[in-house]
Amino acid sequence: MKTTKTSSTDWSDPISLLVLDTVLSVSPSWLSPGTSVTLSCEVEHSSAGWRFYWYKTVPDLSGTSYSYELLPGSINGTEQDSYMIHGKTQTAGFTCRAGRGDPEYYTYYSDPKFVWSGGQSASASLTVNPDTVQHFGSKSASLRCDGNSTKWRVSRFTDDGFQRQCFFWGTMNGSTCNLNWMWYGNVVYWCESGSAFSNAVNITGQYNDGIILVSPVHPVTEGDSVTLGCKLRTQNVLSNVFFYKDNKLIQNDSRGEMSISAVSESDEGFYKCQYSGKESPQSWMAVKSSSSENSSFPVLLITGLVCGVLLIILLLLLCCYKQSKGEKFSDQFKITDVFLLLLINAVATEEFEIHKTC
Ligand SMILES: *[C@@H]1O[C@H](CO)[C@@H](O)[C@H](O)[C@H]1NC(C)=O
Ligand SMILES: *[C@@H]1O[C@H](CO)[C@@H](O)[C@H](O)[C@H]1NC(C)=O
Ligand SMILES: *[C@@H]1O[C@H](CO)[C@@H](O)[C@H](O)[C@H]1NC(C)=O
Ligand SMILES: *[C@@H]1O[C@H](CO)[C@@H](O)[C@H](O)[C@H]1NC(C)=O
């Protein structure tokens, strides 16, 4: 993809004759509450003197591509080759490019990279049928997009590093993408509309002579029940299945399923099943907090209350202290004075600490 840059006048720098490629990396790949996302941009075969431009990708539904919108603070580029994003909760795509010289010449835009969220949003969601992470490659499945849009595109990112839309590997019917066979390996799927990205899901394709774990595609809410199963291509396995979590055997009996009646945070992890010498791939079961949306509310309320009460105590103490100061030469009041001074000191220090955290 390199071409000669004919408009350049700086013939002494051979690098400037080429349009260079950039590679963007995004970390982490999956969002969890409170994590920041770091974008890093690298210009291939070149390092010094670049300014970096950061963009978010906006799906262009007239085709299979994206348009790019500059991220805040990068209109003039950044000297740093990394860019931090705070408070992201939904799936999003990014790209970068670099520029240098006067007049400035630019590298190509990097391939888009994504940060995925498993959490559903009101404006876009993806559902998988059948609802299980692992699928046999030869079986069909469908991916449905719902939400605040009439036009959708389904994207996937395969474990060989390629991103492609349903157009290339399935058939779009309305807002559903139908697949006649699955990719053998790990894939992330998500929906895109003109304005929104949906939650993303992991799907793993398995060979026909193997065995699959049946586990939910979406994160399980704390307190809900969940049942994991094990399946051969032709039938469900109904007995004597071993279940493993994070490579440790957790159920070894005559049952064919494993049930958790009330899921807790500690149940999150990688699961797999084993039956008659066959072992499934392992899949991540995500657990989401039942109060994740309003978890910051009680914290704020309690901090506010504590600050308020401390302020009142401080005022009362100051008041008493002033009154007592009038009564000089009384032993009783001297002792109270010292005691009050110590208290005020302690409260004031604590108040200061809390203000720092508030
Ligand atoms: C997908 O799998 C990765 C690990 O491979 C995990 O970190 C992520 O949370 C999973 N996403 C969902 C929605 O389960
Ligand atoms: C749905 O889309 C409309 C128009 O695009 C927008 O004004 C509205 O805020 C969206 N609603 C949600 C829940 O995203
Ligand atoms: C598309 O989906 C509709 C309703 O789900 C169905 O009736 C129709 O046959 C489908 N079209 C194709 C081409 O499969
Ligand atoms: C499961 O339990 C049986 C009987 O208790 C034992 O013989 C077998 O080795 C166990 N399997 C594994 C994989 O630990």
Side-chain angles (χ1 to χ4, degrees):
M1 276 284 280
K2 296 200 166 60
T3 57
T4 315
K5 194 172 187 293
T6 48
S7 65
S8 176
T9 48
D10 184 9
W11 300 99
S12 62
D13 179 3
I15 292 288
S16 69
L17 304 178
L18 304 169
V19 180
L20 296 171
D21 281 325
T22 42
V23 176
L24 177 70
S25 51
V26 174
S27 171
S29 300
W30 286 89
L31 286 169
S32 50
T35 48
S36 299
V37 178
T38 306
L39 312 181
S40 307
C41 196
E42 192 195 325
V43 181
E44 281 192 335
H45 318 298
S46 175
S47 53
W50 295 100
R51 295 191 74 77
F52 296 89
Y53 298 84
W54 310 92
Y55 306 82
K56 71 170 182 184
T57 59
V58 179
D60 175 3
L61 292 194
S62 63
T64 57
S65 64
Y66 298 93
S67 58
Y68 304 138
E69 266 176 30
L70 266 174
L71 288 169
S74 88
I75 288 173
N76 299 318
T78 64
E79 243 159 65
Q80 276 207 320
D81 59 0
S82 66
Y83 184 97
M84 286 268 277
I85 296 166
H86 306 282
K88 262 249 150 294
T89 56
Q90 291 301 315
T91 301
F94 303 99
T95 182
C96 71
R97 67 171 173 168
R100 71 176 176 189
D102 187 15
E104 195 166 24
Y105 61 92
Y106 298 98
T107 64
Y108 287 113
Y109 289 96
S110 72
D111 285 338
K113 288 286 164 63
F114 291 82
V115 56
W116 296 299
S117 164
Q120 237 119 340
S121 80
S123 54
S125 73
L126 168 62
T127 18
V128 180
N129 187 15
D131 178 12
T132 175
V133 173
Q134 297 181 15
H135 292 248
F136 284 106
S138 64
K139 292 214 163 175
S140 62
S142 67
L143 309 163
R144 198 184 75 234
C145 304
D146 290 296
N148 197 6
S149 175
T150 49
K151 196 166 182 208
W152 294 101
R153 200 161 82 174
V154 181
S155 252
R156 82 176 184 192
F157 192 86
T158 43
D159 51 10
D160 59 356
F162 281 100
Q163 192 209 339
R164 286 270 187 277
Q165 270 111 39
C166 180
F167 178 76
F168 295 97
W169 41 262
T171 330
M172 206 72 192
N173 177 3
S175 49
T176 301
C177 174
N178 294 305
L179 283 127
N180 291 327
W181 56 84
M182 312 297 287
W183 178 266
Y184 292 103
N186 296 318
V187 190
V188 180
Y189 291 93
W190 67 94
C191 298
E192 302 174 340
S193 74
S195 59
F197 291 94
S198 74
N199 60 299
V201 300
N202 291 309
I203 297 292
T204 301
Q206 167 71 311
Y207 295 98
N208 291 333
D209 57 351
I211 197 163
I212 60 168
L213 174 80
V214 179
S215 67
V217 161
H218 296 120
V220 186
T221 307
E222 262 183 329
D224 284 1
S225 67
V226 69
T227 299
L228 306 183
C230 206
K231 212 170 176 174
L232 291 161
R233 194 172 67 91
T234 47
Q235 74 202 72
N236 288 344
V237 182
L238 299 173
S239 62
N240 297 316
V241 176
F242 301 151
F243 287 94
Y244 291 82
K245 175 176 185 263
D246 300 325
N247 282 320
K248 280 208 235 37
L249 184 65
I250 52 166
Q251 184 175 303
N252 170 11
D253 57 30
S254 60
R255 286 175 291 175
E257 292 183 328
M258 193 189 81
S259 296
I260 305 173
S261 57
V263 170
S264 73
E265 210 182 311
S266 62
D267 292 318
E268 188 165 87
F270 284 103
Y271 288 83
K272 67 181 177 191
C273 66
Q274 214 179 50
Y275 173 73
S276 164
K278 289 182 175 185
E279 185 174 296
S280 75
Q282 60 174 7
S283 283
W284 182 258
M285 185 173 84
V287 174
K288 66 170 185 226
S289 151
S290 50
S291 61
S292 59
E293 275 122 61
N294 49 13
S295 64
S296 65
F297 175 68
V299 175
L300 280 180
L301 190 74
I302 289 166
T303 330
L305 269 177
V306 169
C307 286
V309 167
L310 282 177
L311 204 74
I312 291 169
I313 293 177
L314 189 75
L315 284 175
L316 278 176
L317 286 176
L318 260 175
C319 195
C320 296
Y321 179 69
K322 274 195 177 146
Q323 272 182 6
S324 69
K325 263 206 138 166
E327 319 264 338
K328 280 184 182 156
F329 307 119
S330 153
D331 277 357
Q332 211 189 338
F333 277 117
K334 264 188 192 155
I335 292 165
T336 331
D337 270 4
V338 174
F339 182 64
L340 280 177
L341 260 174
L342 282 175
L343 246 184
I344 287 170
N345 224 321
V347 170
T349 323
E350 205 176 325
E351 176 95 63
F352 178 67
E353 290 296 327
I354 284 169
H355 265 296
K356 279 201 298 191
T357 63
C358 283

